[in-house]
Each structure stands twice: as structure tokens, then as C-alpha cells.
Amino acid sequence: MAPPPPPLAASTPLLHGEFGSYPARGPRYALTLTSQALHIQRLRPKPEARPRGGLVPLAEVSGCCTLRSRSPSDTAAYFCIYTYPRGRRGGRRRASRTFRADGAATYEENRAEAQRWATALMCLLRGLPLPGDGEITPELLPRPPRLLLLVNPFGGRGLAWQWCKNHVLPMISEAGLSFNLIQTERQNHARELVQGLSLSEWDGIVTLSGDGLLFEVLNGLLDRPDWEEAVKMPVGILPCGSGNALAGAVNQLGGFEPALGLDLLLNCSLLLCRGGGHPLDLLSVTLASGSRCFSFLSVAWGFVSDVDIQSERFRALGSARFTLGTVLGLATLHTYRGRLSYLPASVEPASPTPAHSLPRAKSELTLTPEPAPPMAHSPLHRSVSDLPLPLPQPALVSPGSPEPLPVLSLNGGGPELVGDWGGAGDAPLSPDPLLPSPPSSPKVASLSPITEGPPEMPASSGLPPPTPGAPATSTWGPQDHLLPPLGSPLPPDWVTLEGDFVLILAISPSHLSADLVAAPHARFDDGLVHLCWVRSGISRAALLRLFLAMERGSHFSLGCPQLGYAAARAFRLEPLTPRGLLTVDGELVEYGPLQAQVHPGLGTLLTGPPGCAGQEP
């Protein structure tokens, strides 16, 4: 087997060619494709001294396709790219550029050239290597990834479904991704769904909501008998909630500027279109009753959990609920007495042998797990991909024709328009006949694709069993070999702090919310849990300064004497105050002692190819 070609510099031309314009037929352009951008230079009628829009960074490209005119006499092929550039005010807007490949005498030759460009661009977007011999054919691309999208319609300010329909579905269709979409109807719906899912049919599960829906998905995957294989399923998050902490970390890893709201959603959607995963550390949390859950984000006690739960009544405000909750929390600032113990990250304990492994929870000492329910494929007959849904697509005007062609539909349009997806074979614009033509009745667009009745409003949840009659203790998942049973003494190499605290936070990724960087140096796969605490004695003004500095991740440089930090591999939190709120990934859990340990790289997070975006120009 020949060795792979060496990596190319960002400015090395991969393809260069001359194209006509569309729909205007006068201008002509020289296109140059590099590993980082598409360069566009106007040649005729007059070269531009300072080209406007002449550089299209690939970080702004969602996908591309090749098209054919309906006119039988037109031998040209058309190459269209879909972009989401940032405007003057910073927000992204969809745009498309269509170029005419007409350098050859026959349509077949022009089509091959257009497909060569589409294939090369899609390979760069997906992080796939291009052959060194220059033979770029559609066969280089694998089959389109198939994603299961789960949408919580009440995420954030209730805009999740609208944003999904208007922004996410058009973008991932432009990227050539195949998908099914299910709208969750109740608390733990997503958890139940993934527990019975036939995972071999999917290449990823993506949630469109806040962090809570992904919490359900990951815990559902880890509560299956085949959890060791199930947890390898790549998961992704498209932020439509209030906090959007994980999405903020994904956005930062992708090289984008900090963003909120719709801009953050578009950034993360662009990264999802690029494909590619990253190992994700998961935190196994054992609660006071012995039940266990898995966290990808944080465990909080004190001020952070108080603000998170008490601001639920302001959910209609979106992310502003946390600002209001912080102000109210500062006005009624509480302190809590407790004990925090942790295994420092520098300690390297030996891996346990099966004969000496410790139980995961106290309840395992006396309870025998019930037999696992049989695995079954959960039907997706109510998903969006099986039902009509009109999506905005660009209209393609036939050259020389005064009337526009029909709007391009996702399943290839009418017989007068042939769409060639930039993938293997002569697939339509979307690689899967996802959506039939919209019916004449306007009722379809106004109804939910899942149910005609309003879904139940999800309440702030603890951790109820995923199915009736299931044991409270999680039967499956990895063993917590670093943790002794709750209530038993800790090993001597653990560090213990006891006192009065304003807050204690254990966080895995860098972000506490989309605009709060609680652990600036944290990575998704560093194998650490980052412990932050604030002791009593801090003034309200100093605490406010800490959170304002956290927006830039500079709070540790303030020199606040009450602020503490430690990197750990496991920890135990023992509240000594009779009342308080504990949260795991923003979800309220039972109050009492808990402990947790990190399982490095247990999950896989869809983040885009490594280093795919870089810093935006």
C-alpha cells in the first residue's frame, strides 16, 4: 500500500479552473481551491482590483452540489456551494454561489469537471484525504452519514422546533447528510428511545435542545445491556436551550469566536456538517441512595445549582434567565457547610483486577439486578424524514429562459431538473429521498410532524427510572474502580477540605454555559474533573466580579483568596447542611452525599474534524 501523501500547506492550490457565472452569463471567474478556502477572482468583463467576496473560507461552507439545466441544448454543468458568512454585525446569513462548468463540448465532460470540484470540496469539508495523483472522483466519498435528530420543542424559549425547521434541516440537507428526526414528547422520552434503538442503523445521535436532552441520551446508551458498544455511538449537540454549555465548548474547539443564540446554533451546525468526532470524558456519579448516572458536564452545589434551579421559572427569557437568577441569588446569598474530598490528578493508582473491583453503589451490596429487557428496534414511523415538510431551497433559473425553474426540492425536484449530489453515484441533491413533495394542504406546515396535540411540558427532572418497574440502580456501565462505597473511609492519598462554602463545582469541559468559561484549560478528553469552590467570606461584589471575569475565563487571575481549584480523577461531596440543591448537568438530583469518578474517553462527541475551522479570518 502506498504511503499517504504528505500534508499540504494551507495556501497550496489543489484545484484551479475557469468557470462561467450563474444566472448571469457574462462574467467569468477563476476558482482556486486550497485546503482552507475557495478563492474566487473575476476575469471578465473587467478584473476586480479588490475582489468582494473573493475568499470563501471552508469554515463557512456547509456543502455543495452539481446541477443540470432543464434545457436539452445546454451542455454546461453547474457547481453550487452553500455558505454561511458572517455579516457586518457578526451574525451568519445563508448564501449560495453557482458556477457554470462549460469548458468542454459535451455535458458529460463538463459534468465530470463539476463533480471533480464538488468531490474535492466535500472531501476537504469531511476531513478526508485527497489522492496525490489528482484523480478525484465521486467514489472517494463514503455513503452519506445517517443521523438521528432528537428535538425538544420547549428548549430555551421554545424556539427549538422553529430553528430546526428554518436553519438546521436545510443546512444538513445541503451537506448531504441523511437524517430522521423525532420530536420528544415528555421527560425521559429520549432516554427510552435510545435504550431500544437499533444502533447499527445510525452513524450518530444529535440533540437539538439544551444540555438536558443529551444527558438523557448518554444515560440511555449506558443503561443498555450492550453499553460497551452503545456508548461508542457518536453524539452531537445543536444548541437550542438556555445554558448550552457543551455547545460553547464545541464552538471554541472549532475555532469560532464566542457566540450565543442563533449564531451559536449555526456555528455548531457548520461543525456538524463537517463530520468527525472527539473522545469525550464521562463522569460516573453515585448518589446517596446508591443510584448512578453519567455526566458529561458538571456537578454543582451551592450558588450555581441554586441559580440553575431557581431560575427555571424564568425559562421563557432564554439565556437571560441565568442573568436574572444570578442577581436574585446575590441578593439572598447563602453559605453551606460541607466536606469535599478528591483524588488529585497527579496520583496514578494501579488498575484494579476483576477479583478486587469495588461495587459501583451501596445498593449493589444487597440488590440483585433484574434481568435485562430484550432489545428491540424502536420504530421511527413518525419522524420528519417520512413526512412532508417544505424547506427553503434556492431556485435555479434555466439559462436563456425568462421564467424560473421550480424550487429545488430535497428529493431531486421535478423531471425538468436533474440534481447531482457531490457524492458517490448520481444521487439527487439529497442522498436520500427524505421528503416527498409538499401537499397542497397548508395544514402540514403548521402541525408538529410527531403529534397533532401539544407535547407535555417537560418539568425540571431528577433521575426517575427510564421505564416502569426498572431498578433504581443502573445495572450497566463501567465499574468505578477508584471509588470505595459511599459512607466508607477514603484512601489516604485523597485530599479533604471541610468548611463553609458558597459554591462547589465539579466540571468536565471548559464551559459552564455558552458564555461562561469555568475551566479555561479543560479539554473534552483530558481525563480530569476540574473542581472549583468558593469559600464563605467572599463579598457579593467580589463574587459578581468572579462571574463577570468567567465570561473571558480570567477569574483565576483575580487573586480571590476564597476561590480554590484542583484537578482530580475522582471526588466525594458530603453536604453537612440539612437543606440545599444538587444538580448533575443542570438536572436536580436527590440531596445528600455523592461521589464520582472520571472515565476518560468513554464517549464520542461530534465536533468536526480536528482543527477543521481554525480561527476565523
Side-chain angles (χ1 to χ4, degrees), residues 161-162 165-166 388-391 438-439 441-449:
W161 171 241
Q162 199 70 23
K165 182 177 65 173
N166 293 342
L389 177 67
L391 298 178
S441 170
K443 187 171 90 169
V444 175
S446 62
L447 290 180
S448 161

Side-chain angles (χ1 to χ4, degrees), residues 125-128 145 147 203-204 232-237 250 253 271-281 524-525 601 603-612:
L125 293 178
R126 299 281 175 83
L128 301 173
L147 301 178
D203 298 303
K232 296 177 183 177
M233 170 64 64
V235 297
I237 187 166
V250 170
L253 180 68
L271 293 171
L272 177 68
C273 290
R274 306 291 296 272
H278 199 282
L280 178 67
D281 295 342
F524 291 122
D525 61 343
T604 301
L605 183 65
L606 293 169
T607 59
C612 65

Side-chain angles (χ1 to χ4, degrees), residues 320-569:
R321 65 176 258 216
F322 297 110
T323 303
L324 180 57
T326 299
V327 172
L328 296 177
L330 287 170
T332 58
L333 191 61
H334 298 286
T335 60
Y336 300 88
R337 186 158 191 84
R339 185 182 301 117
L340 174 65
S341 305
Y342 62 90
L343 176 64
S346 57
V347 178
E348 296 291 338
S351 298
T353 61
H356 298 88
S357 58
L358 295 170
R360 292 194 301 266
K362 288 192 297 183
S363 59
E364 286 192 3
L365 300 176
T366 57
L367 296 180
T368 302
E370 294 182 3
M375 299 297 293
H377 171 55
S378 179
L380 302 178
H381 58 278
R382 296 185 297 172
S383 61
V384 163
S385 64
D386 301 321
L387 291 174
L389 177 67
L391 298 178
Q393 292 290 323
L396 183 62
V397 181
S398 174
S401 174
E403 69 275 4
L405 288 177
V407 174
L408 295 182
S409 65
L410 292 181
N411 61 354
E416 295 179 328
L417 180 65
V418 178
D420 295 321
W421 179 65
D426 295 335
L429 181 61
S430 172
D432 203 16
L434 305 178
L435 307 174
S437 301
S440 57
S441 170
K443 187 171 90 169
V444 175
S446 62
L447 290 180
S448 161
I450 301 302
T451 175
E452 297 189 5
E456 298 176 12
M457 175 68 75
S460 175
S461 63
L463 293 171
T467 53
T473 302
S474 176
T475 307
W476 314 104
Q479 290 187 340
D480 296 332
H481 62 276
L482 298 178
L483 298 176
L486 260 177
S488 64
L490 292 168
D493 51 358
W494 284 53
V495 177
T496 297
L497 307 172
E498 184 172 336
D500 294 326
F501 297 90
V502 172
L503 67 88
I504 292 178
L505 175 68
I507 189 166
S508 297
S510 55
H511 285 57
L512 182 59
S513 68
D515 55 350
L516 289 180
V517 188
H521 304 296
R523 303 191 312 272
F524 291 122
D525 61 343
D526 57 12
L528 303 174
V529 56
H530 302 269
L531 301 175
C532 309
W533 60 86
V534 175
R535 290 185 178 270
S536 64
I538 189 172
S539 67
R540 290 177 172 84
L543 184 60
L544 179 60
R545 283 195 296 270
L546 280 181
F547 278 91
L548 291 175
M550 199 178 292
E551 295 180 1
R552 304 178 301 276
S554 59
H555 47 296
F556 290 113
S557 64
L558 296 181
C560 177
Q562 289 85 14
L563 177 63
Y565 169 82
R569 300 179 61 193

Side-chain angles (χ1 to χ4, degrees), residues 15-21 26-33 37-56 97 99 117:
L15 289 179
H16 182 79
E18 182 178 329
F19 289 82
S21 63
R28 297 194 67 79
Y29 296 89
L31 303 186
T32 303
L33 182 64
L38 177 67
H39 301 259
I40 305 172
Q41 181 183 8
R42 191 171 75 177
L43 301 176
R44 293 203 301 255
K46 182 180 179 181
E48 294 176 306
R50 295 183 178 179
R52 290 176 297 176
L55 177 67
V56 180
R97 295 287 297 268
F99 301 95
W117 279 77

